Amino acid sequence: MRIGELSRLTGASVRSLRYYEEQGLLRPLRRPSGYREYRQQDAATVRGIRLMLAAGLNTATISELLPCMTDDGEALAPSCAGMLPDLNRERERLSNAAADLLSARDRLDALIQTTSQLDPADSSDCDAITAPR
């Protein structure tokens, strides 16, 4: 199948499919004309890639994990426990990033709370801060 058909089948944009190929995640056959020729199994690979991207994994990590995935008829599924350390590492990375975001939100909430207690009657005080010097 050609790239447009794979795009329609998987919901991934043509641009994304080309990016996956650039990253070594997809390896379509090439016709003598230079056109990419995708196989049915590539659709499952694309769905697996999109699942792992949605889980917060980057393409470098996905590249490492793809060999440990098999097509279950619907999508790619893990086939070996050897990928567990990588998955746990990525979960820890995402947990740390989430904690950092929550901390930043808490600091913003504190600023909002402090600002909301100020007297809004004289906005010229704010003009002095934002005016060019």
Side-chain angles (χ1 to χ4, degrees), residues 64-128:
E64 293 172 14
L65 297 180
L66 270 177
C68 293
M69 305 288 278
T70 56
D71 186 353
D72 70 0
E74 292 289 316
L76 292 183
S79 63
C80 61
M83 63 192 296
L84 201 53
D86 292 322
L87 293 174
N88 283 324
R89 180 194 70 230
E90 289 301 311
R91 186 181 193 290
E92 182 67 23
R93 182 185 62 78
L94 288 172
S95 293
N96 290 337
D100 290 346
L101 283 172
L102 289 172
S103 177
R105 186 188 65 187
D106 290 346
R107 289 189 297 272
L108 181 59
D109 285 345
L111 282 171
I112 291 169
Q113 179 63 30
T114 302
T115 305
S116 69
Q117 296 171 6
L118 297 175
D119 183 8
D122 188 7
S123 64
S124 64
D125 291 340
C126 292
D127 293 339

Side-chain angles (χ1 to χ4, degrees), residues 27-43:
R27 291 180 186 84
L29 303 172
R30 287 287 184 159
R31 291 180 165 179
S33 63
Y35 285 109
R36 294 166 178 88
E37 182 69 32
Y38 293 94
R39 299 163 299 247
Q40 193 63 38
Q41 66 205 41
D42 291 326

Side-chain angles (χ1 to χ4, degrees), residues 25 52-53 55-64 89-90 93:
L25 303 175
M52 289 186 274
L53 285 170
L57 303 179
N58 61 43
T59 55
T61 301
I62 292 170
S63 179
E64 293 172 14
R89 180 194 70 230
E90 289 301 311
R93 182 185 62 78

